[in-house]
Amino acid sequence: MNPIVQYHFDFGSPNCYIAHKLIPGIEERTGVTIDYLPVLLGGIFKLTNNQPPMIKFQDVKGKNAYMRREMARFLKTHGLDRFRMNSNFPINTVQVMRGAIVAAEEDFLMPYVDVISAAIWEQDLKMDDPDVIAAALKAGGLDADLILRRIQEDGIKKQLVHNTSRAVEMGTFGCPFFYVGDEPYFGKDILRDMEEEILRQKNQASA
Amino acid sequence: MNPIVQYHFDFGSPNCYIAHKLIPGIEERTGVTIDYLPVLLGGIFKLTNNQPPMIKFQDVKGKNAYMRREMARFLKTHGLDRFRMNSNFPINTVQVMRGAIVAAEEDFLMPYVDVISAAIWEQDLKMDDPDVIAAALKAGGLDADLILRRIQEDGIKKQLVHNTSRAVEMGTFGCPFFYVGDEPYFGKDILRDMEEEILRQKNQASA
């Protein structure tokens, strides 16, 4: 039996863009599917008293310069040459994250994540504007009317709140956050460790 | 020609214990020697307005619990089963870091780092107490009298201050911090990336 691997994500995190790009390779090499759980990073920060690293470390000399350089290097190493910082950062992602709940229910979460990730982190779009969201969804071949209508539903809003609270209960304090069984993995820098843990649990289960 | 790899370290960081344990493997696999530069982490924190992660994130729900768990997992993965948190943490390391300057001058830096690292992170000794330092050095076969006498010298004190300022000028804001040529690497989680960069620069130089 394969281990259950859960990925807590919010489009507002540039490292979630990176994680989403690296996940297909991890799934292919391990033969294990990673389940995406949409959460609201702003909600996680409030519930855990955390902040985005760029803000948390803004007064630390050298830290942000290092993070930018390390990010550029990481992108280059992994051939992610379409990434660029969004000029509207930080982004209010509540609408596009509610949209992810809709997309999961309607069974097109992966194409939806592809489209929204690219809109924010490749095309530099202002994805807290409903008109911009609608145009990006249509350009990506998705049902913009359905999504923008359904994100108004109470059930959809409540599901995102529920996912966010549940994530914090599990121990999530930021994104990207992964669980391999109950082993937590935070950030882009330990994706290789996570991949090895997936294989370890998989081999243990089949042993 | 091999790239120049510099390691900025302070015994007070548990992640520097880990780095020191993993460096021999990196050196063996790459054929490149890593140069140790003793710095004073407390000085770096003052100069950069940074703090130890445990303090920086102490009010963030879940973060410290995660860091402890991730650390235990990392130690286990790498077979570092002698590590234990020092009960005197955080430790004033100014004497043992001055000792590292002496040890470098006297050409026994590596045995010195072995002895002090083990005293703090395996034997749980209170290594800001001169009597405890002397006993640990003697037990490790090192010239305790020479070291404890020479750490009083102005030149030794100034060298540590100089190293620390120089590190901050280079961009260092914490430890373990590495430079492969001028490429910076911070923390224990990107040691594999660093190893790949050493090989890349080495291959590039010989191409």
Side-chain angles (χ1 to χ4, degrees):
Chain A
M1 241 184 61
N2 281 343
I4 291 171
V5 184
Q6 202 174 66
Y7 168 39
H8 297 180
F9 78 101
D10 181 315
F11 296 114
S13 156
N15 285 340
C16 282
Y17 169 86
I18 289 179
H20 177 60
K21 291 291 182 184
L22 299 186
I23 282 171
I26 297 170
E27 290 181 323
E28 198 182 319
R29 289 185 295 273
T30 60
V32 172
T33 300
I34 295 177
D35 299 321
Y36 282 55
L37 186 81
V39 296
L40 193 64
L41 186 52
I44 287 173
F45 284 156
K46 265 187 204 158
L47 289 168
T48 61
N49 196 34
N50 202 0
Q51 293 176 303
M54 269 182 264
I55 293 172
K56 186 88 180 163
F57 289 101
Q58 65 187 345
D59 297 327
V60 175
K61 187 181 169 187
K63 179 84 179 186
N64 278 356
Y66 171 79
M67 288 195 291
R68 280 193 300 273
R69 181 160 182 171
E70 200 277 323
M71 175 83 157
R73 189 169 66 198
F74 191 98
L75 291 163
K76 195 178 167 191
T77 300
H78 292 89
L80 301 175
D81 50 8
R82 282 181 294 181
F83 176 90
R84 42 182 162 150
M85 262 316 281
N86 191 292
S87 48
N88 307 291
F89 189 86
I91 302 146
N92 182 333
T93 55
V94 67
Q95 296 173 91
V96 287
M97 291 316 301
R98 285 174 183 161
I101 304 285
V102 173
E105 280 196 9
E106 301 278 353
D107 208 21
F108 55 77
L109 181 58
M110 283 306 101
Y112 179 84
V113 176
D114 287 340
V115 167
I116 304 292
S117 296
I120 297 178
W121 299 113
E122 295 177 4
Q123 298 150 28
D124 193 24
L125 297 177
K126 191 174 177 339
M127 291 292 281
D128 54 6
D129 177 331
D131 293 338
V132 177
I133 297 173
L137 290 172
K138 280 173 193 160
L142 297 175
D143 191 339
D145 294 336
L146 170 78
I147 296 163
L148 289 172
R149 188 179 70 244
R150 290 210 57 201
I151 63 173
Q152 307 299 331
E153 292 175 12
D154 269 359
I156 296 298
K157 294 178 184 179
K158 278 182 189 162
Q159 185 65 49
L160 183 60
V161 171
H162 171 81
N163 286 2
T164 303
S165 313
R166 177 69 190 123
V168 170
E169 276 171 25
M170 288 175 72
T172 297
F173 50 79
C175 290
F177 214 107
F178 293 84
Y179 294 88
V180 183
D182 65 354
E183 279 297 326
Y185 289 84
F186 170 61
K188 75 183 201 316
D189 295 326
I190 55 168
L191 289 176
R192 288 202 269 194
D193 296 333
M194 184 192 68
E195 183 169 336
E196 288 167 1
E197 176 66 13
I198 294 172
L199 288 172
R200 199 192 63 78
Q201 288 192 21
K202 187 180 174 172
N203 293 336
Q204 200 170 44
S206 66
Chain B
M1 240 184 61
N2 282 345
I4 291 170
V5 184
Q6 203 175 68
Y7 168 38
H8 297 181
F9 77 99
D10 181 314
F11 297 113
S13 156
N15 285 339
C16 282
Y17 169 86
I18 289 180
H20 178 62
K21 290 292 182 182
L22 299 186
I23 282 171
I26 296 170
E27 290 181 324
E28 196 183 321
R29 288 186 295 272
T30 60
V32 172
T33 300
I34 295 177
D35 299 322
Y36 282 54
L37 186 81
V39 296
L40 192 63
L41 187 53
I44 287 173
F45 284 156
K46 265 186 205 157
L47 291 168
T48 61
N49 197 34
N50 203 1
Q51 293 175 303
M54 269 182 263
I55 293 170
K56 186 89 179 161
F57 289 100
Q58 65 187 345
D59 297 327
V60 175
K61 188 181 167 188
K63 180 82 179 186
N64 278 357
Y66 172 78
M67 288 193 292
R68 280 193 300 274
R69 182 161 180 169
E70 199 279 322
M71 175 83 155
R73 189 169 65 200
F74 191 98
L75 291 163
K76 196 179 165 190
T77 299
H78 292 89
L80 301 175
D81 50 7
R82 281 181 294 182
F83 176 90
R84 42 180 163 153
M85 262 316 282
N86 190 293
S87 47
N88 306 292
F89 189 85
I91 302 146
N92 182 334
T93 56
V94 68
Q95 296 172 92
V96 286
M97 290 316 302
R98 285 174 183 161
I101 304 285
V102 173
E105 281 196 8
E106 302 278 354
D107 208 21
F108 55 77
L109 181 57
M110 283 306 101
Y112 179 84
V113 176
D114 287 340
V115 167
I116 304 293
S117 296
I120 297 178
W121 299 113
E122 295 177 3
Q123 296 150 29
D124 192 25
L125 296 177
K126 191 172 177 337
M127 290 292 281
D128 53 6
D129 177 331
D131 294 338
V132 178
I133 297 173
L137 290 172
K138 280 172 193 160
L142 297 174
D143 190 338
D145 295 336
L146 171 77
I147 296 164
L148 289 172
R149 187 178 71 243
R150 290 209 58 201
I151 63 173
Q152 307 299 332
E153 293 175 13
D154 268 357
I156 296 298
K157 293 179 184 178
K158 279 182 186 160
Q159 186 64 49
L160 182 61
V161 171
H162 171 82
N163 286 3
T164 303
S165 312
R166 177 69 190 124
V168 169
E169 275 171 26
M170 289 175 72
T172 298
F173 49 79
C175 290
F177 213 107
F178 293 84
Y179 294 87
V180 182
D182 65 355
E183 279 296 327
Y185 289 84
F186 170 61
K188 77 185 200 314
D189 294 327
I190 55 169
L191 290 176
R192 287 202 270 193
D193 296 334
M194 185 192 69
E195 182 168 338
E196 288 166 2
E197 177 66 14
I198 294 173
L199 288 173
R200 198 192 64 77
Q201 289 192 20
K202 186 179 175 174
N203 293 335
Q204 199 171 45
S206 66

